[in-house]
Structures are given as structure tokens and as C-alpha cells.
Amino acid sequence: MEPTALERYTAAASRSSRVVITQYSTSFSLACRMLDRATRLHISNIYALVRLADEVVDGVASEAGLGPAAVAEALQRLEEETEAALGTGYSTNLIVHAFACTARSQGIDTTLTRPFFASMRSDLSVDTHDAATLEDYIYGSAEVVGLMCLEVFRKMPHAPSGHDCDLDSAARHLGAAFQKVNFLRDLAEDTSELGRSYFPGLDPKAFSDKHKDQLVTEIRADLEMAAIGIRHLAPRAAHAVGTAHGLFEALVDELDSTPASELLRRRISVPNRRKALIALRSSWGYRRKAAA
């Protein structure tokens, strides 16, 4: 049976989302390959919208020639388009359309999208954070993304029932860990190019090994809490999330062994060969469990 015009459009929108995740994140793209096709599509659709908004505030719009007010307007339009599409199931923006299709089918609503866009907006106006604003920022920019993905994982075949508190907590801790990793990875860019500081009461230029070690300790604690919930996911989701967890553990190890002064100069990454090895080990462990 031939697909309808809307089905063709939605398929094209989802293909656009897959291009975004492949272009911008080898780690998440690698982890997503562990998922079944339908789940992989939904996670890609979520990632693409999040990345689109992030690129608006992190310099792409400015590089294109937009002034501060125009950048803020672009982000506002994106949020309005997203909310409208959540209501109608359609957008002329392919990324927004793909996200809305996922959100409507998986139970994601404005209780998660609004905190996300609020955090994105704060990047346009807040240069420094205190403890309270940083907590709100991490929740909106990262923890809600983990909760969006969790809504998809909950609807997968063979997903265990119950354990809701553990799963919610794990999703939030994993999102927080990812965001704090990015604070360290992007320290050079945030400080020299964007003029941001995510460390309350600290001049980023005075960032020391002591400060780095404290944040690494927090990240490891978040990853430990996140691991508690992974075992309560559907097998293939556990495989994918476990792979992402392992990739970020490796990145934390790289950050841990890098002097703070070096983080102020360059962005740290895990070599692709090591990423592939982590994914291979994760796949081997998954296959052994499945065969048991």
C-alpha cells in the first residue's frame, strides 16, 4: 500500500533528524544503533530538536549575522512552532514535525519542553549562575531530555513494569552527568567565545584542578545513580543506555587525567577507536545476557 502524503512527509522529517544526530554526536549516534528501528527513530527525533535549539543559542545564529534580539526571537519562534506542532501534529519545520510526531505518540508534553526552552533562553541572558539557577538550568537543559527519552523506553516491547522512581531518578542523573561533562569539555569555548560561567562564585579563568576534581566527583556520583535504573529498562534500551553510559565514563576518565589549565585551552574527546571498543564490549555483554 502506498504511503499517504503525510506519511511520506513524516518519514522525510525523521530522516532529517537522523542526519542531525549523525552530524553532531558520534557517541549518541553509536548508542542509538543498539536500539530497534522504531525506538531509534524516536530518540533521534528528540535529539534533533534539542540540538537545533542548542545551536541557536550557541553561536550558529550569531555567526549567520543575527544580533542578540534576533537570536532570542529565533529561539522564541522555535518554541512556539514546537508547541503548535504538539497540538496539531504538523509543522513546516521538518525537525519540529519529527519531534512532535514522537512527542504525541510517546506522551511527551509541555511539562518537559517548556523547562528545556527556558534553560535555552537563559543561555542568551545569564552569564553567571548561582546554585539555584544552575540547578534549574541543568534540569531544563539536560534532565528533562533524559525524561523525554525515558517516556520512549517505557513503551518499548518487553519493558519491565514498575520501578518508576528509580527510572525517573536515573534518567535525571544521567542527563545531569552528561551536562556536567559538557561544562568541562566546553570550558574553553564557554569562557573565551561565549562569555559564560556555569560555576557559581568562580571566575572560569581561575578554574583549578581542585575545582575540576570536585566536578568529576559529582559526575561519577551521577553516573553511579544512573546505573541503578539501567537494569530496569527493556533489554535493548538497557544496551543502548549502557553504551552511552560507558562512553561518558570514558570521557570522564579523559577529563580526570587532563589538567584544568588544558581544559581552558581545548575540548577533550574520546578517540573514535576507543568509542568503537566500548560499543563492541557493550554489544558482547548484551549478547551474552540475551543468550543466558
Side-chain angles (χ1 to χ4, degrees):
M1 185 176 179
E2 285 293 318
T4 67
L6 180 58
E7 288 170 342
R8 284 197 301 271
Y9 182 80
T10 299
S14 291
R15 283 196 295 273
S16 298
S17 294
R18 292 199 297 273
V19 170
V20 173
I21 195 171
T22 301
Q23 181 72 28
Y24 279 96
S25 179
T26 55
S27 295
F28 285 115
S29 179
L30 192 59
C32 275
R33 293 177 194 172
M34 316 300 175
L35 296 166
D36 62 275
R37 184 179 181 279
T39 305
R40 184 166 62 246
L41 177 149
H42 290 311
I43 298 302
S44 295
N45 290 347
I46 292 170
Y47 178 91
L49 179 73
V50 169
R51 172 55 63 180
L52 181 60
D54 198 49
E55 290 302 307
V56 172
V57 302
D58 275 356
V60 172
S62 297
E63 190 175 329
L66 277 67
V71 173
E73 288 173 7
L75 182 65
Q76 181 64 29
R77 285 196 304 272
L78 180 59
E79 181 175 15
E80 290 171 355
E81 289 172 3
T82 300
E83 290 210 10
L86 288 175
T88 64
Y90 172 74
S91 174
T92 56
N93 181 320
L94 287 171
I95 299 302
V96 172
H97 179 83
F99 174 81
C101 290
T102 283
R104 284 162 61 91
S105 68
Q106 303 300 303
I108 298 167
D109 59 24
T110 57
T111 61
L112 296 179
T113 60
R114 286 178 181 174
F116 169 73
F117 279 103
S119 286
M120 293 299 98
R121 249 189 319 276
S122 76
D123 271 336
L124 300 176
S125 58
V126 179
D127 294 331
T128 58
H129 285 273
D130 58 29
T133 63
L134 181 62
E135 182 178 353
D136 288 343
Y137 178 83
I138 291 175
Y139 174 74
S141 65
E143 293 180 25
V144 297
V145 180
L147 293 171
M148 289 181 197
C149 293
L150 179 57
E151 289 303 310
V152 176
F153 295 148
R154 280 184 165 128
K155 295 173 179 62
M156 290 178 66
H158 312 298
S161 59
H163 310 290
D164 287 345
C165 289
D166 283 345
L167 286 168
D168 287 346
S169 174
R172 293 184 62 176
H173 277 288
L174 192 58
F178 289 172
Q179 185 60 280
K180 291 171 187 176
V181 164
N182 285 333
F183 288 161
L184 287 177
R185 292 184 78 192
D186 297 337
L187 187 62
E189 180 183 2
D190 286 340
T191 301
S192 63
E193 297 181 25
L194 299 176
R196 297 177 190 156
S197 173
Y198 294 104
F199 307 107
L202 173 66
D203 179 356
K205 295 179 181 178
F207 190 73
S208 68
D209 287 330
K210 179 181 178 181
H211 300 125
K212 183 203 72 172
D213 292 344
Q214 179 180 350
L215 194 55
V216 165
T217 298
E218 289 181 20
I219 295 168
R220 292 196 189 280
D222 281 323
L223 288 172
E224 186 175 346
M225 292 298 295
I228 294 173
I230 293 176
R231 64 176 178 265
H232 299 312
L233 295 169
R236 294 194 70 165
H239 182 201
V241 177
T243 299
H245 188 281
L247 290 168
F248 271 81
E249 279 187 319
L251 185 50
V252 173
D253 291 340
E254 293 284 339
L255 292 166
D256 198 8
S257 63
T258 302
S261 58
E262 187 71 14
L263 297 179
L264 286 165
R265 291 196 295 268
R266 66 183 180 92
R267 194 171 193 265
I268 303 301
S269 62
V270 176
N272 287 337
R273 182 177 297 179
R274 189 177 177 194
K275 288 181 181 179
L277 182 59
I278 291 168
L280 185 62
R281 286 174 176 168
S282 178
S283 294
W284 176 248
Y286 170 77
R287 290 191 184 100
R288 288 184 63 186
K289 288 180 181 179

